[in-house]
Amino acid sequence: MNSISLAHIEQYAFEKKEFILAEDALNKVSKSFTFLTNFSKDKIIYGINTGFGPMAQYRIETDKLSNLQYNLIRSHSSGIGKPLNEIYARSVMVARLNSFLQANSGVSTGVIRQLIAFLNNGIVPEIFEHGSVGASGDLVQLSHLGLNLIGEGYVYEAGVRTKTADVLAKNNITLLKMELRDGLGLINGTSCMTGIAAINIIYAKRLLQWAVAASSMLNEVIEAFDDSFSKELNAVKHHKGQQVIAQQMRDFLAGSQLIRSREELFKDDTALQRKEFERKIQEYYSVRCVPQILGPVLDTLQYAQEVVENELNSTNDNPIVSPDDNNVFHGGNFHGDYISLEMDKVKIVLTKLSMLMERQLNFLMNSKLNGKFPPFLNAGTWGLNFGFQGVQFTATSTTAENQALSGSVYVHSIPNNNDNQDIVSMGTNSAVLAKQVLENSFQVMSIHIMAICQAIDLLEPEEKERLSPNAKSIYGQIRRHAHFVKEDVPQSESIAAVFEYIKETPFQL
């Protein structure tokens, strides 16, 4: 039984690693196909010799069984909206392929070979974001995948939208000839929502690391106390995520000479004589509650990864073909509730992450709050120049959009399909909206990390030297894409460059 993880998805989707089958993988698939072929000859089997959905009450004559599979693919290729980019589309293909390699679907080996041919030749199927209700699987999106496998519709090669037939001919790839239940097998599954979800989590984990880095650097530039992320304080709260985030902050800040020890305040005799202290005794929540806020984000992403990897390695199909049990089982393994719920949760925690970054940004923008930097980190002439005033609007409005998008999709079932699908998952909608929230959050993060680097440039030279090695590393990375701002210049291109860098480059120190 094939087993893959998000690490494999990263290799096949991002790095375009060649997909190589295990020696016995096709034998297992072939055994399942042969069993179904023989088993169905004198029996009524859904989707083999019947119609689909509410039309399952109609038997299909033997001479029309092949047409049945093609009609299913063509009739359900009704997606609309933006097509998935190459990374997401490749992830969808790997997810469908691995589901078939569990050898419980009864598809022909031709389907396996065609999916691998697409992956290894860099052919990107045109799969649209909108269409699936996520209950009989991702019928619409996976129909578009199936349409491309049989040589119809459009695909992308080197980023260019081209007729599928032309691309296959150029690469000497024959059209998939669908057999028995290949059409139904291709579209009865959760592989679109699962493929999207897998990439979302990979990106979300990168984003979380940037949030830890940004939060740590903010603590440095304002010379915060160290006890908010100390081992002792966080150990008494029994949540693994919180403790891991605190540890990551301690690791990041190793070598910093700007972070203050609480002992300094305890021993400050001058401060003890005052009725009103000059410096804050405790930082604002967006500074000192980072482990408590990002901890739940980490825990949520970890569990979501477990669910997605379980789905990747499952047979999310109907019916299930079991040669060992000499039977075919009808049910609902194509229902996407597991993915839908997790993508809702991921969307919510990413929204909270973006809110934390926006509040930290606001802290840097407001001189009355931080008590250290000029308003809007303005290095020019106050009144004449505006510093980061404009970019804050973008971060705030984008965060607000995240808040609007963070409502649950999992609970928004709408009956359809002549009420055959009377409760559905909307899992692909959930995954697509989580993808949008993720994009937005990277945009907010881009602005925030630029602002932190601006603050670093406003430090006194001796203070800048006292930064942790990790803060200096991040500062250097960002400064390759966005420069210190003194005179007012348009910032859109710089934000876009930083966005591209932090999203598409695995986090590095």
Side-chain angles (χ1 to χ4, degrees):
M1 183 176 295
N2 262 44
S3 180
I4 62 173
S5 65
L6 287 194
H8 294 99
I9 293 291
E10 196 158 6
Q11 291 173 347
Y12 294 126
F14 288 83
E15 301 166 18
K16 302 180 186 178
K17 178 183 177 181
E18 183 181 7
F19 197 101
I20 300 174
L21 277 180
E23 288 186 13
D24 64 342
L26 282 181
N27 293 335
K28 295 177 181 178
V29 173
S30 182
K31 177 183 176 183
S32 177
F33 173 75
T34 301
F35 167 77
L36 182 60
T37 301
N38 295 326
F39 187 81
S40 63
K41 286 179 178 177
D42 58 352
K43 297 177 183 65
I44 297 173
I45 305 292
Y46 173 74
I48 305 299
N49 47 25
T50 74
F52 305 103
M55 298 293 177
Q57 301 307 113
Y58 298 92
R59 181 163 186 156
I60 308 301
E61 298 302 322
T62 303
D63 62 346
K64 293 184 173 58
L65 294 183
S66 178
N67 285 346
L68 175 68
Q69 301 299 315
Y70 284 91
N71 288 346
L72 178 64
I73 293 292
R74 290 166 178 152
S75 66
H76 284 63
S77 294
S78 55
I80 198 168
K82 294 188 297 185
L84 297 177
N85 70 23
E86 181 173 9
I87 289 172
Y88 279 95
R90 287 180 66 86
S91 180
V92 171
M93 286 195 287
V94 173
R96 200 75 205 118
L97 179 56
N98 201 62
S99 178
F100 289 149
L101 290 176
Q102 308 308 309
N104 298 314
S105 294
V107 298
S108 68
T109 57
V111 174
I112 306 296
R113 295 181 191 278
Q114 194 76 332
L115 282 167
I116 292 174
F118 269 56
L119 282 166
N120 291 346
N121 284 279
I123 302 170
V124 181
E126 186 171 65
I127 301 172
F128 297 97
E129 287 186 346
H130 292 161
S132 172
V133 298
S136 282
D138 296 313
L139 296 177
V140 171
Q141 279 92 341
L142 294 179
S143 287
H144 282 280
L145 172 58
L147 192 72
N148 291 162
L149 297 182
I150 63 175
E152 299 180 16
Y154 289 84
V155 294
Y156 293 83
E157 189 178 43
V160 179
R161 187 175 188 255
T162 311
K163 286 185 177 180
T164 308
D166 294 342
V167 174
L168 297 189
K170 188 179 79 172
N171 288 278
N172 296 316
I173 299 172
T174 58
L175 310 184
L176 172 64
K177 180 182 178 182
M178 288 195 294
E179 302 186 59
L180 200 60
R181 64 153 296 179
D182 286 350
L184 181 65
L186 276 165
I187 73 174
N188 255 192
T190 63
S191 297
C192 185
M193 67 178 79
T194 304
I196 295 171
I199 301 300
N200 284 348
I201 294 172
I202 291 169
Y203 277 134
K205 287 197 159 189
R206 290 183 187 178
L207 179 67
L208 178 58
Q209 289 306 298
W210 279 103
V212 172
S215 299
S216 300
M217 292 168 75
L218 179 64
N219 271 266
E220 275 196 276
V221 297
I222 66 168
E223 299 178 78
F225 290 110
D226 62 0
D227 46 355
S228 70
F229 50 87
S230 66
K231 180 177 180 180
E232 293 80 5
L233 180 130
N234 289 280
V236 301
K237 199 77 176 287
H238 293 184
H239 297 296
K240 184 177 180 181
Q242 175 179 335
Q243 294 174 5
V244 170
I245 295 295
Q247 178 67 60
Q248 289 178 349
M249 292 183 71
R250 294 195 296 275
D251 292 343
F252 186 97
L253 291 168
S256 173
Q257 298 173 48
L258 289 176
I259 292 293
R260 292 190 297 159
S261 167
R262 182 67 61 173
E263 294 297 320
E264 296 175 25
L265 185 63
F266 290 160
K267 298 175 181 178
D268 190 341
D269 292 333
T270 303
L272 285 171
Q273 307 306 315
R274 295 178 178 274
K275 290 188 176 181
E276 182 178 354
F277 303 117
E278 286 185 341
R279 301 193 64 168
K280 287 185 68 66
I281 302 304
Q282 295 190 114
E283 290 80 15
Y284 289 96
Y285 286 15
S286 62
V287 179
R288 67 177 159 105
C289 295
V290 173
Q292 293 82 359
I293 296 171
L294 294 184
V297 179
L298 175 59
D299 284 337
T300 299
L301 293 180
Q302 293 290 77
Y303 183 70
Q305 177 173 342
E306 180 182 334
V307 170
V308 169
E309 288 179 341
N310 283 341
E311 193 73 18
L312 281 169
N313 294 301
S314 299
T315 304
N316 43 71
D317 203 346
N318 180 58
I320 298 301
V321 178
S322 181
D324 293 342
D325 295 306
N326 195 38
N327 209 345
V328 173
F329 299 95
H330 294 70
N333 275 0
F334 48 40
H335 207 280
D337 266 26
Y338 272 105
I339 298 297
S340 183
L341 177 58
E342 292 312 306
M343 285 298 99
D344 270 9
K345 289 159 61 179
V346 166
K347 180 176 62 175
I348 290 168
V349 297
L350 291 180
T351 294
K352 191 59 176 282
L353 183 151
S354 69
M355 291 166 60
L356 176 63
M357 296 301 102
E358 191 276 337
R359 288 294 83 197
Q360 290 182 358
L361 174 66
N362 183 71
F363 176 80
L364 280 176
M365 296 294 102
N366 193 331
S367 59
K368 295 177 182 177
L369 295 182
N370 63 63
K372 184 171 184 176
F373 298 107
F376 305 109
L377 302 176
N378 189 347
T381 302
W382 295 8
L384 177 64
N385 299 114
F386 296 92
F388 272 53
Q389 181 174 319
V391 298
Q392 184 185 10
F393 293 134
T394 303
T396 301
S397 66
T398 305
T399 301
E401 181 173 287
N402 275 359
Q403 291 172 318
L405 292 173
S406 63
S408 176
V409 178
Y410 170 71
V411 298
H412 279 187
S413 174
I414 301 177
N416 66 104
N417 196 231
N418 274 10
D419 279 342
N420 170 52
Q421 297 184 17
D422 57 349
I423 184 164
V424 299
S425 76
M426 297 296 181
T428 301
N429 282 357
S430 183
V432 166
L433 285 176
K435 175 175 174 284
Q436 182 60 53
V437 168
L438 181 65
E439 293 280 307
N440 289 350
S441 300
F442 269 111
Q443 291 173 16
V444 175
M445 180 63 69
S446 302
I447 292 169
H448 184 36
I449 201 72
M450 287 169 60
I452 290 172
C453 290
Q454 179 82 358
I456 288 174
D457 280 325
L458 292 171
L459 294 173
E460 296 296 331
E462 60 271 17
E463 287 184 298
K464 198 170 178 180
E465 281 302 312
R466 294 166 62 198
L467 286 166
S468 66
N470 287 328
K472 291 176 182 177
S473 172
I474 295 296
Y475 172 85
Q477 293 172 46
I478 300 303
R479 278 289 172 256
R480 291 197 293 269
H481 304 280
H483 302 295
F484 174 65
V485 177
K486 184 174 182 180
E487 299 300 328
D488 294 322
V489 293
Q491 291 295 315
S492 293
E493 289 187 8
S494 294
I495 297 169
V498 173
F499 169 86
E500 183 71 17
Y501 176 74
I502 67 173
K503 182 170 183 279
E504 300 303 339
T505 306
F507 185 82
Q508 54 186 307
L509 292 173

